[in-house]
Amino acid sequence: MTISIRSVEKTFGRYPALNGVSLEIADGELLALLGPSGSGKTTLLRVIAGLEFPEKGQILYGDQDMTYTSAAARRVGFVFQQYALFRHMTVAKNVAFGLDVRKGQAKPSKSEITARVDELLKLVELGELGKRYPAQLSGGQRQRVALARALAVNPSVLLLDEPFGALDATVRKSLRKELRRIHDATGVTTIFVTHDQEEALELADRVAILNKGAIEQVGAPHEVHDNPVGAFVCGFVGESNRFEGAVKGGRFQSADIALPAPGVTDGAAVAFVRPHELVVAPADQSNLNIVTERIAPQGAVVRVDGATASGQRIEAAFARQNAGDLQPGAKLSLAADRSYVFSA
Amino acid sequence: MSRLRHPTEDPVWAKVVILTLVGLFLVCVLILPLITVFFEATRKGLPAALEAIQNEDARAAIKLTLITAAITVPFNVVFGLCASWAIAKYEFPLKPFLITLIDLPFSVSPVVAGLIYVLVFGAQGWFGPWLLDHDIKIIFAVPGIVLATIFVTFPFVARELIPLMQEQGVDEEEAAVSMGASGLRTFWSVTAPNVRWGLLYGVLLCNARAMGEFGAVSVVSGHIRGLTNTMPLHVEILYNEYDFVGAFAVAALLCLLAIVTLVLKALLELVQPQSRPGRH
């Protein structure tokens, strides 16, 4: 099911949560809504689900206007941040709930429901746990139950609010792969909210980046990372060193660094250089001189923390084999392979 | 070498002193009086005590007490559910005011509560003449007793449910609705099971207070024997008439009700953790 969001506006009291958001989600797509807290991403998800209603704009499922249709009538699968499992029901009962509450003709027979529950529990690899209660499960298992429960109604769209937020790092990583697998197996249009860019970039087909209730950029993970459209996206997605300075005649200049800035209008500007795009350079070709403070080998890379003469913190990351024999306290000449400059 | 102690663990002498103090208070203030009640009730033998709670007036008082509780408790369950639902799940102005208002009966003397009803519904009260014209008796009759009891007991259920519902939030209800459940279905399948233990606990406390209430009921009852006497009022009348065996026999019955309530409450607390295994 394609989902179209058209100029949606929503305020809480006097605080605008969504400021004219428009977004198209293709059928079968896995889309991430990425943004810092307070960016409106959860509100957008809840508006899509029908748990909140916008003041202006439209929500379309396919070509059907759903803007003011109740959540109950939209047939969405919603996975809550804290899972919101029914604590007094077994796992199987939880998963069956969406089918159990149907009335008359629409309600499947008992055996159909049991079969569907078994199938879903198998899909999320919880086949044996149907008789347990939520409190007897680990965080990762609860998450899987929540997912199975949301999928039980054959939702037209699956919505997940910070699905991995409450889990520890290892479980989070494996569940991420799991969600991708389940998405590919069911083909259901899926939208998830996250503040974790790594999660968004790894999992999603496309990422929509929100800031202050508006969408800054929508694109494939590598697009938003490699070609950010503005300072916010550049600073938010991926790691970066940020420099404040000014552009004059196509050159960016700050206290510490000079960078090319073709096509950027003259005036105050910010520049970003990603740590892994800094390279060690001979003194005559370098444009950034730092004194190293901490050298931390991490797997295949060596991370270097340092500071410039003006006190600006710099982070760099070199491939292990290119790092040579770095020592804390040493002077290091660096050059930026690539940089991003935006008018401030 | 001295035994290693946990930093927050008290020395032995302190534990002994504290426990002894608590024990002494409990014995003097609670256990001795309770024993006295049963002792005095059976001073002239068990048959005399049984006779005292079986005579006509005593039976009328027991019946009235049961009727009052039977009206008060369901009323407070409905009120408690509505109030706690509204407070926990909705945002509206004057919410803190409503919460404070629910606590009012805890802070107001029951006698004042009774007087309020006399002032409103009594012969000289606001609605007195109108009620008199229409031959409706509230004060010095059963409706007044029920009203006063409801006033005194209405925080019990609501107070139990409000924190419970607030802690649970609306996530589970939203989940149910998003899966297509109707409002009523959501309430019965999700909300009610989640609060059932708190509700039962509130009902028990409410019932105990409804049966034992003296002050407010005393003001509105008129103490008409066999008609408007509840058990606590009956105890007072018998005592004032120097019928000690009768007074203590009825009092013993009230104590038994209280003990049954406490036992049920303790049982509830035992059962609860298994049926509702913690938060998730």
Side-chain angles (χ1 to χ4, degrees):
Chain A
M1 182 83 69
T2 39
I3 309 285
S4 312
I5 300 154
R6 295 189 183 158
S7 318
V8 162
E9 287 179 30
K10 168 88 191 160
T11 51
F12 289 116
R14 289 170 60 196
Y15 166 76
L18 293 175
N19 247 330
V21 170
S22 295
L23 185 62
E24 295 277 328
I25 299 118
D27 187 25
E29 189 176 23
L30 178 49
L31 179 111
L33 297 174
L34 175 65
S37 57
S39 60
K41 54 192 192 303
T42 296
T43 308
L44 181 57
L45 194 76
R46 291 172 62 85
V47 166
I48 297 171
L51 295 171
E52 307 276 358
F53 297 101
E55 278 108 42
K56 280 189 192 151
Q58 271 186 312
I59 305 284
L60 277 78
Y61 283 27
D63 48 14
Q64 217 180 338
D65 188 340
M66 290 287 202
T67 316
Y68 298 106
T69 308
S70 73
R74 285 191 199 196
R75 243 186 35 168
V76 294
F78 201 101
V79 175
F80 290 80
Q81 199 171 354
Q82 302 294 330
Y83 319 132
L85 298 179
F86 306 130
R87 63 195 91 188
H88 62 280
M89 293 183 199
T90 61
V91 166
K93 277 271 167 206
N94 263 282
V95 176
F97 187 85
L99 303 171
D100 269 337
V101 297
R102 290 197 186 160
K103 291 190 187 95
Q105 288 289 304
K107 184 167 177 170
S109 72
K110 246 190 177 158
S111 58
E112 281 172 315
I113 293 180
T114 316
R116 178 82 179 129
V117 169
D118 286 347
E119 177 196 338
L120 283 161
L121 287 180
K122 214 165 276 163
L123 179 70
V124 297
E125 294 172 350
L126 287 178
E128 312 302 309
L129 300 181
K131 290 199 173 67
R132 297 261 189 101
Y133 282 89
Q136 298 165 311
L137 303 179
S138 70
Q141 289 170 331
R142 281 175 206 166
Q143 168 67 270
R144 288 158 190 262
V145 176
L147 199 56
R149 185 177 70 172
L151 288 169
V153 293
N154 275 324
S156 39
V157 56
L158 179 62
L159 305 167
L160 305 100
D161 187 6
E162 296 272 4
F164 313 110
L167 301 168
D168 57 58
T170 12
V171 182
R172 202 180 306 171
K173 278 218 147 145
S174 74
L175 265 178
R176 239 186 253 167
K177 294 207 170 69
E178 194 80 339
L179 178 61
R180 184 73 229 191
R181 178 181 68 77
I182 289 167
H183 173 265
D184 294 343
T186 57
V188 61
T189 310
T190 305
I191 305 171
F192 74 99
V193 155
T194 182
H195 64 270
D196 180 348
Q197 43 154 316
E198 202 189 317
E199 201 166 284
L201 298 182
E202 187 186 314
L203 188 53
D205 295 328
R206 281 197 309 156
V207 180
I209 293 151
L210 276 94
N211 182 35
K212 294 179 182 155
I215 289 183
E216 295 267 343
Q217 188 172 2
V218 188
H222 65 88
E223 273 171 37
V224 295
H225 184 272
D226 297 346
N227 298 308
V229 296
F232 175 81
V233 175
C234 193
F236 189 72
V237 179
E239 297 174 307
S240 54
N241 295 294
R242 187 172 191 272
F243 303 93
E244 287 184 25
V247 168
K248 202 178 167 196
R251 293 284 299 168
F252 172 86
Q253 183 68 53
S254 81
D256 304 298
I257 196 168
L259 293 166
V264 181
T265 44
D266 286 4
V270 281
F272 297 86
V273 178
R274 305 233 186 256
H276 66 270
E277 287 170 345
L278 279 170
V279 291
V280 183
D284 58 327
Q285 288 165 33
S286 82
N287 54 5
L288 185 64
N289 295 301
I290 66 168
V291 174
T292 59
E293 287 175 5
R294 226 174 84 83
I295 316 288
Q298 274 179 10
V301 298
V302 177
R303 306 193 70 94
V304 177
D305 282 332
T308 64
S310 75
Q312 158 114 34
R313 313 286 320 165
I314 300 292
E315 254 186 61
F318 308 123
R320 199 89 171 250
Q321 66 268 28
N322 301 342
D325 184 27
L326 286 169
Q327 291 301 325
K331 285 191 173 152
L332 199 57
S333 308
L334 301 173
D337 257 0
R338 184 169 184 186
S339 58
Y340 307 91
V341 181
F342 304 100
S343 297
Chain B
M1 200 182 96
S2 70
R3 193 175 61 92
L4 288 175
R5 258 195 291 131
H6 191 267
T8 59
E9 199 179 315
D10 293 322
V12 175
W13 65 265
K15 284 191 205 167
V16 171
V17 169
I18 292 171
L19 280 176
T20 313
L21 276 177
V22 172
L24 269 178
F25 271 117
L26 282 180
V27 169
C28 294
V29 179
L30 288 177
I31 298 176
L32 279 181
L34 204 58
I35 291 172
T36 313
V37 168
F38 288 101
F39 179 77
E40 289 290 334
T42 53
R43 184 182 276 262
K44 289 184 185 162
L46 199 59
L50 287 178
E51 154 61 26
I53 56 174
Q54 276 172 337
N55 74 42
E56 212 172 305
D57 290 346
R59 274 158 69 172
I62 292 168
K63 194 173 150 201
L64 181 57
T65 296
L66 292 177
I67 288 172
T68 306
I71 299 172
T72 305
V73 172
F75 176 89
N76 279 326
V77 167
V78 173
F79 170 80
L81 276 171
C82 291
S84 49
W85 179 274
I87 285 166
K89 320 267 173 182
Y90 305 148
E91 286 304 320
F92 55 90
L94 297 180
K95 195 155 121 177
F97 181 67
L98 178 60
I99 298 175
T100 314
L101 210 61
I102 289 172
D103 278 344
L104 185 71
F106 279 159
S107 49
V108 164
S109 161
V111 176
V112 176
L115 276 176
I116 292 168
Y117 287 110
V118 173
L119 286 176
V120 175
F121 300 116
Q124 273 76 45
W126 295 348
F127 301 115
W130 186 88
L131 291 170
L132 217 57
D133 287 348
H134 292 79
D135 206 19
I136 302 170
K137 265 190 89 69
I138 291 182
I139 299 304
F140 307 139
V142 177
I145 291 171
V146 172
L147 273 177
T149 309
I150 285 174
F151 179 92
V152 177
T153 55
F154 82 66
F156 286 96
V157 176
R159 270 278 135 198
E160 280 299 321
L161 292 183
I162 290 167
L164 202 59
M165 285 196 181
Q166 273 177 331
E167 184 217 308
Q168 285 171 356
V170 294
D171 275 9
E172 286 181 47
E173 277 86 5
E174 281 187 344
V177 168
S178 78
M179 282 182 276
S182 64
L184 208 60
R185 178 70 195 248
T186 302
F187 177 81
W188 284 117
S189 307
V190 178
T191 312
N194 277 345
V195 301
R196 64 187 159 188
W197 296 110
L199 182 62
L200 216 56
Y201 195 88
V203 163
L204 270 180
L205 291 179
C206 176
N207 184 53
R209 183 64 193 268
M211 288 184 170
E213 175 53 27
F214 177 83
V217 171
S218 172
V219 177
V220 296
S221 136
H223 305 266
I224 306 163
R225 248 183 230 224
L227 277 181
T228 63
N229 258 352
T230 60
M231 286 168 74
L233 301 182
H234 193 58
V235 172
E236 195 212 13
I237 289 183
L238 292 176
Y239 187 83
N240 286 344
E241 290 171 350
Y242 304 103
D243 180 358
F244 294 133
V245 168
F248 280 107
V250 179
L253 197 59
L254 273 173
C255 286
L256 278 178
L257 282 174
I259 290 167
V260 168
T261 306
L262 285 180
V263 169
L264 284 177
K265 177 174 156 274
L267 280 179
L268 263 186
E269 278 161 0
L270 270 181
V271 175
Q272 204 167 349
Q274 284 144 30
S275 314
R276 204 190 64 189
R279 62 182 296 278
H280 69 132

